[in-house]
Amino acid sequence: MLLKLQNIRKSFGKVEVLKGISLSLERGQILALIGENGAGKSTLMNLLGGVFTPSDGDMQLNGNAYLPDSPIAAQIKGIAFIHQELNLFPNLSIAENLFINQFPIKKLAGFSLIDRRTMRERAVELLRQVGLQIRPEVKVEELSPAQQQLVEIAKALSAHPQIIIFDEPTTSLSRHEANQLFELVFQLKAKGIAMIYISHNLDDVHLLADRIAVLRDGELVKLDVKEAVDIQGMVKAMVGREMSEFFPARKVLPDTKRLLLVENLTAKGFVTALDFHLNRQEVVGFYGLVGAGRSEMARILYGLDRFDTGNIYLNGRLIQKPNPADSIKNRMAFLTEDRREEGLLLGMDIQKNVQLAALSRFSRGIFRRIDRKRAGGQVSDTVQSAKTRYNSVTGQPVSTLSGGNQQKVVLAKWLLTAPELLILDEPTKGIDIGAKREIYGLINQLVEKGSSVLLISSELEELLGLCDRILVMSQGRITASFTKPMFDRNAILEAALHKQSETLPT
Amino acid sequence: MKILRAIVRLMIRHATVVLLLAVLLSFSLLSPKFLVSSNLVNILIQSSSLAILAIGMTFVLLTAGIDLSVGSAMFVVGVVSGKLVISGLSLWWAIPLALAVGMLFGLVNAFFIVRLRIIPFIVTLATFYAGRGLGLLISETRAINLPESFLQIGSSRLLGIPMPVLILLVVLLLAHFVLSGTQFGRQVYAIGHNSDKARKAGIPVDRILIGVYLICGLCAAIGRLVALAQLGAVSPTFGYQNEFMAIAAAVLGGTSLFGGKGNILPGTLVGALLIQAIQNGLVVINADPYLYPVVTGMVIFLIVMIDSLRHKSAQKALRTKTAA
Amino acid sequence: MKSKTDSEALKHNPEAGSSNKLIGNLLRNPENTIVYVCLFYYLVMAFIAPGFFTVNNSWNILFNLMPLMIVAVGQTFVMLGAGIDLSVTSVVAMASIIGGYLLSDMTALVEPVWLRMVMGLGAMVLAGGLIGFLNGLAVTRLGMPAFMVTLTTMILFSGTAIWLTRSQNLYLLPENFVNLTYSSLLFVPYPLLIGLIVISAAWFLLNKTLFGEWLLASGMNSKTAYLSGVPVSKTLVKAYVLSGCCAAVASILYTARLETGSPVMGQHILLDVIGAVVIGGTSLFGGVGKIHWTVVGAVFMTLLDNSLNLLGLSYFLIMIVKGLVILLAALLNLMQVRKLT
């Protein structure tokens, strides 16, 4: 038995976050840890990683008591933690990142200098282990997210870990890159390294894990070998009830009136000759790999980035040079992928966040004075209709909300502008299942009230459940189109991947 | 056409060097006395104090900090060492004491920044005030004239190299090695990118920050002694606005105010040389002295502008690359 | 617990700034420690500093406070937008010599005098606005760091002011202008009147208008703001223009008081200004701050200066104390933030 947790408890103040968890892990075993946000996954892993210490219970590593008091202590004992947010320094080289805390040293006239040659040799070896063929002198900022992930793993390997904890490692990876990562995971497993894998992506979990542990409200509600648990079972264990109506049917069909028409849209290096349309009350999904040009297309439509040629018509009117302010006037809304950096004012309260995009509508007179009463009333209505959970609309910074509730705040901001066209870029990324379902419900309500939605997602399940049409993009082009009941999982996946290998780089 | 574009790109990348050359060239066209070896050596000597100060500042800026107090630290160092020397203390005692005063300044800054977690801007703003007041208090707001012996050091040569330049050279090389060749140096860059991440990675952030402010204080003291050895007197405005010039030199050399980016060699050195070359050139061509700050201000503005535009285009290039 | 009751109070009363609630809020709000410190300090000094608690000295404090406060209020706008304006000192100097030149009886450019006054004062404010506009453009359009932009414009325009005047002061300002300091409208001295107008206008702009909301959002997170349709660049440029105009208005008061247009006017106020804003509690990172915080900060800096002078402390000891006080204020501020979170 490599790792053994017995009756682990952890409380913060009076709140008990972990209520007696017992788990075990053997060499070369992969344990998947799933659960909704707030179920206690991170807390449990932070206990293992030395960030917190347990309030009660017993942890054993190789039969000895294990009680790390810092992340470094955990690392020394052989437990590596790869966080969702990579802990790399993009301004330094790969090799420097690998050895940031223990550079190989040579002595020169009493000075401890970095031994560049040894560092290079060891870096090359570590990179080889993760299958990354890049010179170690290259700066990390020049790497793709997937390559950075590999560097992070190489860094973990440098400490010769017995256990690696992965926290949502695939969120910023394309399908293809994720598969490469999984190959590496299996290689590590073959070497006898045990892994704990945390993810919201249940398909991945099912693919990788030997055993699956489900946490809910700080308790271990299910622990079984993978063969004994299917995806439905996982969802049920996580949420605690049957989720038959995960994607409720919409009460309306798409209108035949055209809302958006895009002709031959090209931005060199990003998207090429895009032709598509969107009707009123229609939900059109965009599927593709990361980097296929979906987000870029959305940013161009909304006016964040420029395009070279092509025409965009909204309600039959040609949009010359889109910019965000005009787009909002044209009743567009854009929920971007990066909620913290582009969606929220983290230090401000819900009121200020939600009213932001509609502010000018609440102002009047030459000084553009704001009618706070009207703004306040509409904001609290909208926030409530978005089912956001909070203590106070004013006085509570949104940084204190959970990821799902933060996303609902961003959504509420756009709902307040009463958009005709809502562009959603990965709206449920990193959000737990309960909040996901509520967001799906909101999208349906919105469409029923007359809006159209352009939905970009990397979760095929989501697109299949919500969309009237799905367009697939690959390398900046639309490569396939599917219309509702004719959705074909395999054909969609193939369209997203196929073109990739066919087209030669130019 | 392609070559031309490549040259333009190269010039933009090394804008500061190109500008330094342009400044040297235009002054040499304006006056035959500018581009002669004796004057070039002069520029080196004159810029040594600022360059040393800017080297210390570079360390601080790399951690995304700032030290507004170096001018005041320099002033206090000048006053203390002046007083000590006048009171008959030998230089061998006065110099280490002066250096210790500089480091003490750094230590005080570091204490507030590291232990009490007050942002560097505020801390050093406060020590800026306190330091200048302290200096005025000690000097009783009178200028202090130093004995000949001090000046002699300033004009002496070793192996034909003027003493100030030699000191600059030593400081420059040491600092460069520390930054690029030691664990400490690389961790400075890591902290500058993100100190929370650095802490998570197990880097002793506090210890390194203390080290950085100590280095900055020490450099301020060395720079001050070098300047003293040339000027021979400490006036009440001694070191005034030097902190701004030091920051300007570092930033001109490509060091980011937001931390994590920049270098001392060639960066900060070229920045300091550039500022001094302009000042020197204006003197050589007999320009209206009132124009000095105007011209200096405009040139710094220009370079920072070019630098910002360069960053903008670099960001664009990076985006294209990841998408392709 | 404390923060909870506060947010409750705010919830029930979204117009939390309205007049009769203002005092109550000041007392209840933990972020107003600096107000108590100020009051306490004032009381202590009233007892120990000779001549502090007199009518004469109170006027003195008020006259010293007004220009500093006005510059600091302008600076607050820039800092709320996550910038910094170091060039305010050079604006004071430039406005002072422009005003001096246009107003002076030596040049006597225009008669009658009142027309000259209008022209001169207008030109001063315009000059401040222009320098602010330049700063704003460089920061927003060219993407230059605010610190470097305003540092160079500070060096540039201070230098220009000295160059243009060859370091000479401009004397012989018209009587009406010089008397500005000592005359009053309906018993309110003009400096106080101007100060009050500036504060009220700034408070109105920040708390009641679209511009204020946009500025706070831009300062907190410019990406989010831009995406949400906020004209970020325009808003920030306006903040710099306001800062320039405020510094120019302060220059009017300084110039009138010293009765000369001077190219080195305001050279030493920069750190007082930034100190006042920061002591008030406005964040250097943008998006967090209030006008009345800055007013209190300016009051405190002025009280400090004045009282220490009366206590017979030398100029340099005052500087040391000011330095320590800035640190102390920052520390207090920090302790509150920690208590709240």
Side-chain angles (χ1 to χ4, degrees), chain A residues 302 304 324-325 328 340-345 347-348 352 355-357 359 363 367-370 372 391 413-414, chain C residues 7-8 10-11 15 204 206-211 213-214 216-217 220-221 223-230 287:
Chain A
Y302 188 70
L304 286 174
I328 292 171
R340 296 173 69 85
E341 285 298 312
E342 297 183 332
L344 292 167
L345 304 167
M348 291 190 180
K352 297 241 184 233
Q355 70 186 11
L356 186 61
L359 258 182
S363 70
F367 292 114
R368 312 202 71 180
R369 224 184 132 141
I370 289 170
R372 299 242 182 245
N391 295 330
K413 170 172 78 181
W414 293 120
Chain C
S7 54
E8 286 296 307
L10 284 166
K11 200 167 152 192
E15 290 279 316
F204 176 78
L206 190 63
N207 295 299
K208 296 287 166 190
T209 70
L210 192 58
F211 165 75
E213 291 287 337
W214 277 350
L216 289 170
M220 177 68 66
N221 183 341
K223 271 190 193 167
T224 296
Y226 180 65
L227 236 134
S228 305
V230 175

